[in-house]
Amino acid sequence: MISFELGVEDLADTRFAVSPLAEAVLSLRVLRDPGLSALHLPWRREALRTLEGPGGLDGADRELLAALVARRFTLPDFLTPRPEVFAPAFEEELAVVARTPPGEVRRDLLAAHAPDPAPAALAAAADGDDTAVARLRDRIRAVLAAYWELVIEPGWPRMRLVLEADMTYRARQLAVGGARSLFAGMHPDLRWRDGVLHIDRMIGRFHAAASGRGLLLVPSVFAHKPAPPVDPGAPPSLLYPSRGVATLWAPVPGPDRAALASLLGAPRARLLALLEEPRPTVELARRLGVTPSAVSQHLRVLYGAGLVARARDGRLVLYRRSELGDRLLGDGRAGG
């Protein structure tokens, strides 16, 4: 069990933060074992398809990512640095990783896997000198950057909305009911009693007094249980499972076509629906049973609103829905 002793000043200095890097690193656990969270199975299927498909990561890079997760699902501590601001950018947190001394990298990689030996992909941590460990650190950083871009960044805006909604809820619980109310519904492994926050079922064991350093709370969509720092001397912080994760990967319903017609007008809504492929004005007019001049008028409005794109093909001007138009129409090919 790990426990934090929090005084009045520490509770007054309790703050929240989000960590995009922590989400990327914790998501590796879900890739390793889908049984950790059935809620993330839709994301996992799509992530594996992306990583293994054209434009994804090669086998050696995927092996390195898998090696970061130990048999007990522990992770190297240097890959989840403490956020120093409310919402650091992923690149800012990755820069902190790049500055980690080789000795600390070696210690954290080996400690994460102990008592098991480090996997072959992390052999430099066990056998290499500081130069080899630094190269391994830089390679891990580069692979994580590619991993973020491929499978985390596209969904990050939705994830952040869930995290910020959780923080708003928790802050209100603290304001209305105090620390007891704040921690009561956070996770079954958390207990608040007599000014001490107890975190059960931890591999490590220590008791630390916050001593005016406050408490940092970091909600996570990929965390399956609370995660305090492994270093007893580190400032008190707690990464914990966010509320609302069950809604995160639910399919986004398509728009009500009647409402869309009310928004755009029935002729423009029908016109937008026809533009899944590039088409000239004359073909659109024939399909809609109206004059080309009427179609041109509606296309000018849709183009001005950014809902269609146009390109010249010889003497013809072809129109097609833009990405914004795809999203408005609920086209499944549109990202997000």
Side-chain angles (χ1 to χ4, degrees), residues 28-87:
L28 297 176
R29 289 171 167 170
V30 177
L31 292 184
R32 172 76 175 267
D33 184 357
L36 281 180
S37 177
L39 297 177
H40 290 307
L41 289 179
W43 171 84
R44 184 179 185 274
R45 285 192 296 268
E46 185 60 31
L48 289 175
R49 188 179 301 117
T50 300
L51 293 172
E52 296 169 1
L57 299 182
D58 63 30
D61 286 347
R62 297 199 304 271
E63 181 183 0
L64 179 60
L65 287 178
L68 297 177
V69 184
R71 178 174 54 84
R72 299 177 300 168
F73 299 107
T74 47
L75 294 158
D77 204 40
F78 78 96
L79 292 179
T80 54
R82 175 187 173 94
E84 295 302 327
V85 296
F86 169 69

Side-chain angles (χ1 to χ4, degrees), residues 297-308:
Q297 181 181 352
H298 292 313
L299 286 172
R300 279 196 297 271
V301 174
L302 294 173
Y303 179 78
L307 298 177
V308 301

Side-chain angles (χ1 to χ4, degrees), residues 92-124:
E92 293 171 343
E93 293 192 290
L94 213 54
V96 176
V97 171
R99 295 192 296 268
T100 309
E104 187 176 331
V105 173
R106 177 187 292 108
R107 179 200 67 194
D108 289 352
L109 288 172
L110 297 180
H113 286 275
D116 300 328
L122 304 178

Side-chain angles (χ1 to χ4, degrees), residues 305-320:
L307 298 177
V308 301
R310 64 188 181 192
R312 182 169 291 280
D313 181 18
R315 299 176 61 184
L316 293 176
V317 177
L318 303 180
Y319 292 85
R320 188 197 182 282

